[in-house]
Amino acid sequence: VRELVAAAPPLRPADTSPPAAGAEQAEAKPVAAVKTVVPEAPEMPPPPQGSYVTKFGAQPATGPKDAPVVVFILSDFQCPVCKRGADGLRPLLTEFEDVRWVFWNNPLDMHRRARAAAAASMAAFRQGKFWEFHDTLFENSRALQDENLERYAQELGLDMKRFKKDIADKTLDFQFDANMRVASLLEARGTPSFVINGRKQVGWGSAGGVRSMVQREVDAAKTLIAQGKTPAEVRE
């Protein structure tokens, strides 16, 4: 996943080129590493606190930075299944001590307000309120017009001048395009999708199912750490 994040070019999902050879299609299987030419990214703002930093900018994250298990949540704020997934995931975000959760905006073109909502979430992220805004967006996933997004920001007490400036930041389009290209290379175009220490799960079944997959990776990580591996080596 780290190689994909660092190397995938920012192409919109309209690109119809076939998936990279060797990419795994089965769910909950290790994903294949794919290397491509690294595009030149625009200058990015400093990463906010609680970031998972990539070459394409900071992603919102929660959980310890040195966690041996990292879960990427590829999601779309206008996706009804993602809303169910967010509701189910909420208690899991604080249940595991050894897991870091990274939110990966994958705003599908079929959802007209998904990209605007994603931009608003990142503007809130820059003011330290991503997860609160995340919950508000999913609670109001049928009301994502510009005036609603501004109202949610006001209700959270955000600096509105800064919010409006950040929501219009063109580097976010670069980041979302890169995020979506990574999802395409992973063959995880559907939302929500998860990558749990390199194992992919496309779609939402239940919170219990995700909990079980995460717990397996936590148990495997503890075994490796007991054998002398560091958390970084476990993630590798």
Side-chain angles (χ1 to χ4, degrees):
V1 173
R2 180 158 37 84
E3 289 181 347
L4 286 168
V5 171
L11 300 178
R12 292 184 181 275
D15 172 46
T16 57
S17 57
E24 293 286 344
Q25 296 186 34
E27 294 180 347
K29 295 291 185 180
V31 297
V34 179
K35 291 187 178 182
T36 57
V37 176
V38 178
E40 185 172 347
E43 183 177 354
M44 298 288 183
Q49 187 174 4
S51 295
Y52 182 94
V53 180
T54 78
K55 289 187 177 181
F56 296 140
Q59 311 285 350
T62 184
K65 285 186 175 182
D66 62 345
V69 176
V70 179
V71 180
F72 294 88
I73 307 166
L74 288 70
S75 192
D76 174 319
F77 286 111
Q78 202 177 354
C79 164
V81 183
C82 293
K83 173 179 170 57
R84 293 201 300 271
D87 292 341
L89 286 175
R90 192 170 293 116
L92 301 187
L93 298 182
T94 55
E95 181 176 324
F96 294 92
E97 296 180 356
D98 301 323
V99 177
R100 193 175 193 198
W101 303 82
V102 181
F103 190 89
W104 196 267
N105 274 298
N106 188 25
L108 305 181
D109 283 354
M110 64 185 291
H111 296 142
R112 293 186 176 183
R113 297 300 301 169
R115 187 169 284 238
S121 77
M122 295 300 283
F125 173 44
R126 293 179 182 181
Q127 295 191 45
K129 291 291 183 72
F130 172 79
W131 294 102
E132 295 91 335
F133 205 84
H134 161 284
D135 291 349
T136 298
L137 290 177
F138 277 125
E139 288 167 5
N140 299 277
S141 58
R142 295 186 178 181
L144 300 177
Q145 291 74 23
D146 290 344
E147 59 271 22
N148 293 322
L149 298 177
E150 290 187 12
R151 177 166 56 85
Y152 305 148
Q154 289 175 332
E155 290 172 352
L156 283 176
L158 300 184
D159 179 330
M160 293 306 298
K161 183 177 179 179
R162 182 180 175 189
F163 178 81
K164 291 178 181 179
K165 178 182 177 181
D166 286 341
I167 204 173
D169 185 351
K170 294 303 181 183
T171 64
L172 292 178
D173 279 329
F174 177 92
Q175 185 176 34
F176 298 155
D177 288 346
N179 286 3
M180 294 170 75
R181 181 56 174 162
V182 169
S184 179
L185 289 171
L186 288 171
E187 294 191 345
R189 300 174 184 86
T191 54
S193 294
F194 306 89
V195 180
I196 306 168
N197 261 25
R199 292 184 178 273
K200 178 181 64 178
Q201 168 67 34
V202 179
W204 174 257
S206 67
V210 173
R211 178 187 286 110
S212 295
M213 287 186 286
V214 173
Q215 187 63 59
R216 282 197 295 271
E217 294 303 319
V218 168
D219 292 343
K222 288 179 177 179
T223 298
L224 290 171
I225 289 172
Q227 295 171 355
K229 300 289 186 183
T230 66
E233 289 171 333
V234 171
R235 291 191 301 272
E236 182 71 18

